[in-house]
Amino acid sequence: MPNPDEVASTALLTDQYELTMLAAALADGSAHRRCVFEAFARRLPAGRRYGVVAGTGRLIEALTRFRFGPEEIAIVERFLDPETVRWLRDYRFTGDIDGYAEGELYFPGSPLLTVRGTFAECVLLETLILSIYNHDSAIASAAARMVNAAAGRATIEMGSRRTHELAAPSSSRAAYLAGFDATSNLEAVRRFGVPGAGTSAHAFTLLHSGADGQHEAEAFRSQVRALGVSTTLLVDTFDITRGVATAIEVAGPELGGVRIDSGDLGVLARQVRDQLDGLGATDTRIVVSGDLDEYAIAALRAEPVDVYGVGTSLVTGSGAPTAGMVYKLVEVEGVPVAKRSSHKESRGGAKVAVRLARATGTVVEEVVYPETSAAPDPGEFTARPLQRPLVRKGEPVPDLPALTRSRELVADGLVSLPWEGLKLSAGEPAIPTTFLG
């Protein structure tokens, strides 16, 4: 389905200093120098062992709408000189972009995105690139840890009410990319084709109350009539044992599922499973939600839980709400340039990367080297190039991977990690990054 914002410009999703740099560069003649910028993360969030590249598809779509129309010009002409304003009226990115495919894993220093063009056209994209990549990659990286902790059980993204309303659909997309099965957010369903899921909340059960007391059975009966016996009933509004019994009385043993949203989820899941089985509802699934993160999911691995619903921790990156990526100028007219600031150093020159793996498929190292150099000898390992063309002469390349293919790439990447790289405990990156040249 089309993006409902596709007619809106993305040009003001930026910082003012990019435009003031542009003005100064146009004035002194340096704006048209050919440059290379790279996006990368100097380090992973504390204790994390890998990251997941996410946001590539959203960035490429947003790039096609990076235009300065009358409304955008009305803003920038408040602080820019007339020559710069005239230049912006005709702005189109005409350069090239290469990068890691969406869904690839990344590590410290991985050259995730390489942007080539004039200084003027490339510098304007910094904030757009970083805002999309930092947000989406943070969500996808947290989601991948949760999916791995779930060990094959279904996961549903339910975090819309815990993040900005405009960020919620992209959070859902990033979670789905990383392996989540569905989302509660309908805008993500419309915009990105993510499968939707959802039934009812405590308010619906409480609605069926009166002066004579609570009528949980009436609420369950209404939901089953409307949604069918395959629905999931929320059983912990009052007494959970009574709620489970009422759910089966109303829906029968073919009830699709029951949801537990509070309490000691492990203890309650066991109790509810025993009760369901005793009532003949052996195929009724147990869905748990309520402040889950990857650690809570892992702790429930031995319990009879069928589906995890995750909200706050997912859409906030489970403690790492940004991926910490930066966008740096690394080459001007073929000459490498680098930042030397303490703790914020960059490596000059355009770079490419390969990932080395054993014959079994387990990855062992990422090697980053100057694009002007020959590829390193992989020795006993196989070497897989990581960058691919994304944009040529300002236009997206044809046949970029669909979201479903990117999901497969995440899954394949997780399988390829050494076993210690999948640990939830704090540790070093799953594989080292080696820089040559």
Side-chain angles (χ1 to χ4, degrees), residues 83-369:
E83 179 186 349
T84 303
V85 172
R86 283 194 295 273
W87 190 89
L88 288 173
R89 290 183 193 276
D90 298 324
Y91 176 81
R92 299 288 188 277
F93 178 72
T94 62
D96 297 338
I97 301 178
D98 296 300
Y100 285 34
E102 188 164 31
E104 282 281 9
L105 304 186
Y106 71 88
F107 302 94
S110 296
L112 305 181
L113 210 64
T114 304
V115 183
R116 294 178 172 84
T118 65
F119 176 82
E121 61 184 340
C122 294
V123 74
L124 293 185
L125 302 180
E126 176 181 10
T127 301
L128 184 71
I129 288 171
L130 292 182
S131 62
I132 291 175
Y133 266 53
N134 272 319
H135 174 269
D136 289 23
S137 296
I139 306 303
S141 298
R145 287 160 57 88
M146 295 174 188
V147 169
N148 185 64
R153 301 176 190 180
T155 49
I156 302 173
E157 183 277 314
M158 305 167 65
S160 296
R161 65 194 65 189
R162 298 291 189 258
T163 189
H164 190 281
E165 72 274 16
L166 299 183
S170 55
S171 298
S172 302
R173 179 188 184 276
Y176 183 66
L177 163 74
F180 267 62
D181 296 283
T183 179
S184 65
N185 186 276
L186 288 177
E187 184 60 29
V189 174
R190 174 173 74 162
R191 190 179 302 183
F192 303 119
V194 179
T199 51
S200 70
H202 294 293
F204 185 75
T205 303
L206 293 171
L207 172 66
H208 295 78
S209 300
D212 58 341
Q214 296 124 358
H215 299 286
E216 189 174 49
E218 184 180 340
F220 289 171
R221 197 172 293 112
S222 174
Q223 183 176 326
V224 170
R225 278 198 304 265
L227 302 179
V229 74
S230 64
T231 192
T232 296
L233 298 176
L234 182 57
V235 294
D236 67 343
T237 305
F238 308 117
D239 177 78
I240 191 168
T241 301
R242 183 64 245 169
V244 171
T246 301
I248 301 305
E249 287 171 11
V250 168
E254 293 79 27
L255 176 64
V258 296
R259 179 160 74 95
I260 310 169
D261 190 49
S262 58
D264 187 326
L265 297 177
V267 171
L268 292 175
R270 272 177 269 134
Q271 172 188 316
V272 169
R273 183 74 272 158
D274 288 345
Q275 186 178 4
L276 288 171
D277 291 349
L279 294 169
T282 55
D283 293 328
T284 299
R285 300 188 303 169
I286 296 177
V287 182
V288 298
S289 57
D291 298 323
L292 294 178
D293 60 13
E294 60 266 50
Y295 303 103
I297 292 170
L300 291 167
R301 190 176 294 170
E303 308 300 346
V305 174
D306 299 291
V307 183
Y308 301 95
V310 191
T312 304
S313 289
L314 179 54
V315 298
T316 57
S318 196
T322 176
M325 295 180 189
V326 295
Y327 181 77
K328 297 301 177 185
L329 179 63
V330 296
E331 197 169 287
V332 178
E333 296 289 0
V335 177
V337 297
K339 182 178 177 180
R340 299 302 182 199
S341 305
S342 178
H343 303 296
K344 290 189 174 182
E345 301 89 348
S346 60
R347 292 179 172 83
K351 293 170 280 295
V352 290
V354 294
R355 193 165 293 162
L356 305 184
R358 304 182 189 279
T360 58
T362 302
V363 295
V364 296
E365 184 181 11
E366 186 151 315
V367 181
V368 180
Y369 60 98

